[in-house]
Amino acid sequence: MADLFDQDSIPSQHKGNRPLADRCRPKKIIDVIGQQKLIGPDGSLSIMLESGSLPSIIFWGPPGVGKTTIARLLASEVNMHFVQISAIYSGVSDLKKQFEAAKIRHLNGGSTLLFVDEIHRFNKSQQDGFLPFIENGTIVLVGATTENPSFELNSALLSRAQVMLLERLSYSDLELIAQRAEREMATSLPLDGEARELLLEMADGDGRSLLNLIEQIFNWGNEVLNKEQLSSRLSKRAAQYDKNGDAHYNIISALHKSVRGSDPDAALYWLARMLEGGEDPRYLARRITRMAIEDIGLADIKAQDVCLQAWQTYERLGSPEGDLALAQAVLYLALAPKSNASYKAYNNALTAAKKTGSKMPPKHILNAPTKLMRDMSFGSNYLYDHNEEDGFSGQNYFPDDMPRGIYYLPVERGEEREFKKRIEFFSKLRANKNKSTK
């Protein structure tokens, strides 16, 4: 079965009527469009090719950005036999056949570049099966994945391969691909300017998707289409968003950091991306409330209430009406004064609590409900703050053998300015009272 994916084995009589995407594949690595960080003059792959040494590689990136094409061209550049398999369709027996063929090739002085598409689909034992053949030089493995290798691939396999990130194709990259397709077809796309721009937007950074769309358009004939006509004939490609994958975590991170960075427009854009992608608005309500606690805190004590009210409003209205309440909460957070002082204070106190273990509170603040406890001085010498001058006793509330901790450091922003003044006021009172008791 695996031989079906060995592209060198396709008979020439079946290569004539190939899809446009296949006919537009570059013949040399320098002809690849995009990924200049890898294949440009100073790119990591270019440097490897110049040195004549090609390690095992994991290509990580979205669909349609050139992973398969680059792997094929790498094999050509270093004169290796190229074999392509897919982890979706291949099993253990297919891998064994390829390993045996590669061993024979190796013994005869040849080398094999084994390209494994969707490599993350292989389970742990299947991934482990590559290791001895990588280590003894039987194969150079080039894997391709759209998922984060850190989570989807074994650490043993990752330690034997270099992970290279391929980026989504830019608008200018897609325009160059369209021009290549026009040269291949020896005619211009029958689109006016606005329709051409819409086409590139529809591809959403996916070169293969763009070529498939272009092939459809050429099949319609020579009538020049405008934006409205093209839109009615083609369905817009759904934006890449997997609620359980990298896109989910990348975009919620972008939303959170936009709020933290006080950019309301960027925050609103990422919120819209998630809602458009089908994210659960309740998840977003929870995360937005977390942002209020972590990044605004006491600098604006209304922020948390705004988020909780937006959450409650969504629960009553549902989508799409309730989405606007979440959008308003995001805007409020982005424009609110920022402070992570309470977040840091809690973490500092948590660290201290873990270190100090089971230390008892000082005796003077312990209750003494029994005579025995009163005889042991529990609760003695406690000063009731309301009876003290300024309503402040300045007593120690930490364990007796523990230095006083300072965890909360408010910032000079928003309402925390006033909290900082109060802390400084109480610190001076405490210092004066401690002096007077010595």
Side-chain angles (χ1 to χ4, degrees):
M1 177 178 178
D3 291 338
L4 294 176
F5 299 97
D6 184 342
Q7 298 298 309
D8 293 341
S9 67
I10 298 176
S12 59
Q13 63 265 31
H14 296 297
K15 296 183 180 179
N17 191 22
R18 296 176 298 158
L20 181 61
D22 193 37
R23 295 186 342 242
C24 287
R25 283 188 191 275
K27 304 297 189 292
K28 297 180 181 178
I29 199 86
I30 59 173
D31 296 329
V32 173
I33 294 171
Q35 315 309 333
Q36 289 304 295
K37 290 180 181 178
L38 297 181
I39 60 174
D42 299 319
S44 51
L45 276 178
S46 299
I47 293 170
M48 288 177 188
L49 291 173
E50 287 175 9
S51 69
S53 173
L54 188 65
S56 289
I57 298 168
I58 302 296
F59 286 143
W60 172 27
V65 296
K67 296 187 289 292
T68 304
T69 295
I70 293 174
R72 183 188 301 278
L73 294 173
L74 286 177
S76 176
E77 292 277 346
V78 295
N79 196 28
M80 299 179 73
H81 184 78
F82 179 80
V83 178
Q84 177 181 351
I85 64 173
S86 169
I88 297 174
Y89 303 111
S90 303
V92 173
S93 61
D94 302 306
L95 288 175
K96 286 181 178 178
K97 288 178 184 177
Q98 291 302 334
F99 293 149
E100 287 300 318
K103 279 200 290 187
I104 295 171
R105 204 174 289 120
H106 188 57
L107 290 173
N108 291 326
S111 54
T112 303
L113 189 153
L114 179 59
F115 176 70
V116 183
D117 199 14
E118 304 286 347
I119 191 170
H120 61 276
R121 301 288 189 112
F122 279 141
N123 61 35
K124 184 180 185 300
S125 61
Q126 289 171 318
Q127 291 180 29
D128 286 342
F130 290 100
L131 302 181
F133 301 101
I134 294 173
E135 290 176 347
N136 64 22
T138 300
I139 63 168
V140 168
L141 172 67
V142 177
T145 177
T146 56
E147 303 295 328
N148 190 329
S150 303
F151 305 129
E152 302 296 335
L153 298 183
N154 295 350
S155 56
L157 183 58
L158 283 177
S159 69
R160 290 163 175 81
Q162 292 196 26
V163 176
M164 296 188 178
L165 180 65
L166 278 74
E167 298 177 342
R168 180 177 177 273
L169 297 178
S170 68
Y171 187 92
S172 58
D173 292 333
L174 294 174
E175 173 59 33
L176 291 174
I177 290 174
Q179 292 174 17
R180 178 175 289 175
E182 289 173 319
R183 290 194 296 272
E184 174 67 27
M185 298 297 291
T187 185
S188 298
L189 273 166
L191 302 173
D192 68 14
E194 288 187 343
R196 191 181 184 97
E197 289 179 5
L198 176 62
L199 173 67
L200 300 184
E201 289 173 7
M202 284 180 166
D204 194 27
D206 185 330
R208 182 171 53 244
S209 174
L210 174 63
L211 288 168
N212 290 339
L213 293 174
I214 288 174
E215 189 164 27
Q216 279 186 259
I217 293 168
F218 277 129
N219 288 335
W220 294 337
N222 298 322
E223 178 191 357
V224 177
L225 304 177
N226 61 30
K227 182 178 180 179
E228 288 71 25
Q229 291 169 318
L230 181 66
S231 181
S232 67
R233 295 193 187 192
L234 288 180
S235 298
K236 181 175 172 60
R237 182 176 182 267
Q240 186 194 4
Y241 186 79
D242 179 356
K243 288 188 284 185
N244 298 312
D246 283 341
H248 167 85
Y249 297 105
N250 289 341
I251 296 181
I252 191 62
S253 176
L255 171 59
H256 196 153
K257 290 180 173 67
S258 299
V259 165
R260 183 182 295 152
S262 301
D263 190 331
D265 296 311
L268 207 56
Y269 168 76
W270 294 118
L271 175 71
R273 279 279 301 272
M274 296 192 82
L275 289 170
E276 180 69 14
E279 184 56 75
D280 182 358
R282 294 173 181 83
Y283 166 80
L284 288 167
R286 180 169 63 84
R287 287 301 299 257
I288 291 166
T289 305
R290 166 64 189 259
M291 294 172 203
I293 297 168
E294 180 177 335
D295 290 295
I296 294 163
L298 296 176
D300 184 344
I301 55 178
K302 297 189 292 293
Q304 190 173 332
D305 285 341
V306 169
C307 293
L308 291 173
Q309 289 167 14
W311 194 343
Q312 187 178 50
T313 300
Y314 176 81
E315 293 291 356
R316 293 193 174 203
L317 295 181
S319 292
E321 293 87 351
D323 297 348
L324 182 57
L326 300 180
Q328 290 176 346
V330 163
L331 290 172
Y332 188 95
L333 297 188
L335 294 170
K338 304 298 187 296
S339 171
N340 68 345
S342 57
Y343 175 71
K344 289 169 66 177
Y346 172 72
N347 286 332
N348 292 338
L350 191 62
T351 299
K354 289 177 179 177
K355 285 182 179 179
T356 53
S358 303
K359 290 181 180 293
M360 287 287 290
K363 282 186 177 181
H364 64 270
I365 64 171
L366 293 176
N367 291 326
T370 68
K371 182 177 183 301
L372 174 64
M373 295 176 75
R374 288 192 293 273
D375 291 343
M376 296 179 68
S377 300
F378 282 32
S380 63
N381 300 319
Y382 171 65
L383 300 176
Y384 187 59
D385 288 79
H386 293 292
N387 294 337
E388 299 297 311
E389 187 180 356
D390 298 313
F392 181 77
S393 68
Q395 282 193 301
N396 176 50
Y397 300 103
F398 282 93
D400 286 328
D401 58 346
M402 177 180 169
R404 177 176 179 77
I406 299 176
Y407 309 127
Y408 178 48
L409 299 170
V411 299
E412 285 281 358
R413 289 188 293 277
E415 296 175 58
E416 280 200 331
R417 283 197 188 97
E418 183 61 32
F419 295 151
K420 186 173 184 180
K421 290 177 184 177
R422 293 184 201 177
I423 286 176
E424 291 170 351
F425 172 73
F426 289 132
S427 294
K428 288 178 182 177
L429 282 181
R430 185 180 293 108
N432 290 336
K433 287 180 179 288
N434 287 340
K435 282 181 185 178
S436 65
T437 57
K438 289 182 181 178

